Amino acid sequence: MTSAYLDFVRIRFLMMLAYRVNYYSGIIIYAINIGAYYFLWKAIYGEAETLQGFTVIQMSTYVAVSWMARAFYYNNLDREISSEIVDGSVAIQIIRPYSYLLVKMMQGFGEGIFRLLLFMVPGMIIVSFIFPITLPTDPMQWIVFFVMIWFSFLINSQINILTGLGAFFFENNQGIMSMKRILVDLLSGVVVPIAFFPGWAISVMQWLPFQAITYLPGSVFTGRIQGADVWNALLVQVIWTVVLLIPIMLVWRAARRRLFVQGG
């Protein structure tokens, strides 16, 4: 059965490979986004050397790595699940001898591997030649970062799955999915690092899973989080990965009952 799930990873990777030209152009688009934020933050800094503990170089690096990490953990599982629920094909998926939700996670992982190898890594190399960023020299820092963006993928995918399952209970959850995307980008730290939010907002966001998607890995990569705090940040990600399984299982159980009732 394990090999069957791995096949879903391979198949999704090959599907993405068939449209790789789109992702080569995506590197250019992400580079433009990074450039826009770089010049925006450069204007905000002015003559200041640091803001909220970020140096200019750290901010440039944070912006670059946050957008490139987003290329890895980003996926459309919410829209895929919602579409399959609306057109009824989810009923066929459920009766097959595998876990529907795990299959979706594996498909998202296949897409993530493609984005990592053909989008994130080459994109980061290109951006490093264009903008003044500092890459870590400690191999352990790189290892921890890649472990953390793996958890970023898990947490973001879980939120997407939970959002997509909302189609079982709403006739149209397009608005919810759009709102979710805005919240993830804003509260995860892609648009603005969480350190720049007001104190009360930071206190609230520490109890939400979004910081574990972008802000914590980006802070480790730029060296803002060091020593024992690195492991605390990783622990936060692990905890949220486990905690998010609870609402997913509850919603999935309620959704299956609802599907059976509608089918009856």
Side-chain angles (χ1 to χ4, degrees), residues 25-144:
S25 62
I27 293 175
I28 298 175
I29 295 173
Y30 266 56
I32 293 173
N33 282 334
I34 292 170
Y37 278 100
Y38 166 72
F39 289 113
L40 173 63
W41 282 107
K42 190 175 180 181
I44 292 174
Y45 270 76
E47 299 299 324
E49 295 183 0
T50 62
L51 287 177
Q52 296 300 107
F54 279 92
T55 65
V56 177
I57 297 297
Q58 278 184 323
M59 179 57 72
S60 301
T61 305
Y62 177 87
V63 169
V65 75
S66 295
W67 276 96
M68 286 304 166
R70 184 181 184 273
F72 169 66
Y73 68 68
Y74 177 87
N75 57 59
N76 288 304
L77 292 183
D78 51 348
R79 297 191 182 278
E80 289 183 22
I81 293 173
S82 177
S83 177
E84 291 175 357
I85 292 172
V86 171
D87 65 23
S89 60
V90 67
I92 304 299
Q93 302 278 358
I94 289 177
I95 63 176
R96 289 176 177 170
Y98 51 64
S99 169
Y100 173 74
L101 298 184
L102 186 54
V103 165
K104 286 300 168 188
M105 188 67 79
M106 291 298 100
Q107 290 174 336
F109 184 47
E111 180 177 342
I113 294 176
F114 173 87
R115 289 172 173 271
L116 174 67
L117 298 178
L118 297 179
F119 195 140
M120 178 181 170
V121 172
M124 197 64 189
I125 293 173
I126 293 172
V127 167
S128 66
F129 285 107
I130 301 175
F131 304 104
I133 65 176
T134 302
L135 302 178
T137 56
D138 183 1
M140 182 55 67
Q141 195 170 349
W142 282 96
I143 293 172
V144 172

Side-chain angles (χ1 to χ4, degrees), residues 52 193-207 211 215:
Q52 296 300 107
I194 291 177
F196 285 82
F197 282 79
W200 64 267
I202 295 176
S203 299
V204 172
M205 285 188 284
Q206 287 177 344
W207 293 95
Q211 65 165 342
Y215 183 70

Side-chain angles (χ1 to χ4, degrees), residues 195-246:
F196 285 82
F197 282 79
W200 64 267
I202 295 176
S203 299
V204 172
M205 285 188 284
Q206 287 177 344
W207 293 95
L208 299 175
F210 304 109
Q211 65 165 342
I213 298 176
T214 301
Y215 183 70
L216 294 182
S219 296
V220 169
F221 188 87
T222 56
R224 279 179 52 82
I225 296 180
Q226 299 179 350
D229 291 336
V230 172
W231 305 112
N232 291 334
L234 184 57
L235 179 61
V236 170
Q237 289 187 303
V238 173
I239 290 173
W240 276 114
T241 300
V242 175
V243 168
L244 286 172
L245 290 174
I246 298 173

